[in-house]
Amino acid sequence: MHMLRSSLVAAVVIATSAGAAWALDGGDAAKGEQVFKQCMTCHRIGPEAKNAVGPVLTGVVGRPTGTYPGFAYSDLNRHAGEAGLVWTDDNIFEYLVDPSAFLKKFLTEKGKADQATGSTKMVFKLANEQQRKDVIAYLKTFSEKK
Ligand code: HEC
């Protein structure tokens, strides 16, 4: 009986801390710099950054979606920005799991289901929760908005 009770307590503690992990804190920018090496296949960041396969990510947190000068965005990405999507730490956290699905959901919720078609040019997905937190902490070191 005692054993059973303590394992129940342990299960509740685990469930609670897993829930709390969804608030976007606990990102480590130094670890995020390592995660960003995967992004560098397509993106550059920093004061000298230039567009590559993907747009420059300097200042991306706080920037309206699809607006970095000189980058040819997909319609899906551009339309999301026109409908009011501004990048924040929270929404990049969701976006990285499945970029096209995230942008389509946003446009549909804005009543623009007709624009929620096609796909973004960002074919990369990052499922790992801690890696997403870390890479966003790193992105924020290059953004005015924290
Ligand atoms: C295989 C190439 C590729 C990789 C790897 C990649 N991206 Fe992208 N990313 C793109 C492209 C291309 C776009 C433009 C999407 C469009 O126009 O539909 C983009 C767009 C974005 C945007 C939206 C930018 C804006 O101005 O609206 C963010 C944020 C982003 N990527 C973050 C990341 C992060 C963080 C990583 C690494 C964890 C990453 N990307 C990895 C290709 C990539």
Side-chain angles (χ1 to χ4, degrees):
M1 188 60 203
H2 180 73
M3 282 285 288
L4 179 63
R5 193 184 307 142
S6 53
S7 57
L8 278 176
V9 169
V12 169
V13 169
I14 290 164
T16 309
S17 56
W22 285 101
L24 200 65
D25 50 20
D28 179 329
K31 288 186 182 147
E33 185 174 3
Q34 299 305 309
V35 178
F36 192 76
K37 288 184 176 157
Q38 299 175 66
C39 318
M40 284 188 73
T41 312
C42 304
H43 292 286
R44 295 293 179 273
I45 197 163
E48 307 293 320
K50 302 256 187 311
N51 287 325
V53 175
V56 168
L57 292 182
T58 316
V60 72
V61 181
R63 186 164 91 198
T65 307
T67 58
Y68 194 84
F71 186 81
Y73 286 95
S74 64
D75 287 347
L76 184 60
N77 203 319
R78 205 167 33 79
H79 285 150
E82 286 166 7
L85 183 63
V86 175
W87 291 121
T88 65
D89 50 4
D90 283 333
N91 64 23
I92 295 174
F93 183 75
E94 263 188 77
Y95 167 81
L96 289 174
V97 179
D98 188 341
S100 290
F102 174 80
L103 296 173
K104 286 179 182 178
K105 178 167 159 262
F106 177 82
L107 284 162
T108 303
E109 283 170 5
K110 286 282 169 183
K112 300 194 187 276
D114 57 318
Q115 295 180 347
T117 58
S119 54
T120 146
K121 293 182 183 177
M122 167 134 154
V123 292
F124 182 82
K125 295 181 181 179
L126 188 61
N128 184 284
E129 188 176 318
Q130 190 59 47
Q131 288 188 352
R132 278 182 285 140
K133 288 184 178 182
D134 292 344
V135 82
I136 290 164
Y138 178 69
L139 294 179
K140 289 201 308 191
T141 67
F142 295 94
S143 298
E144 304 267 315
K145 291 228 176 119
K146 301 292 177 189

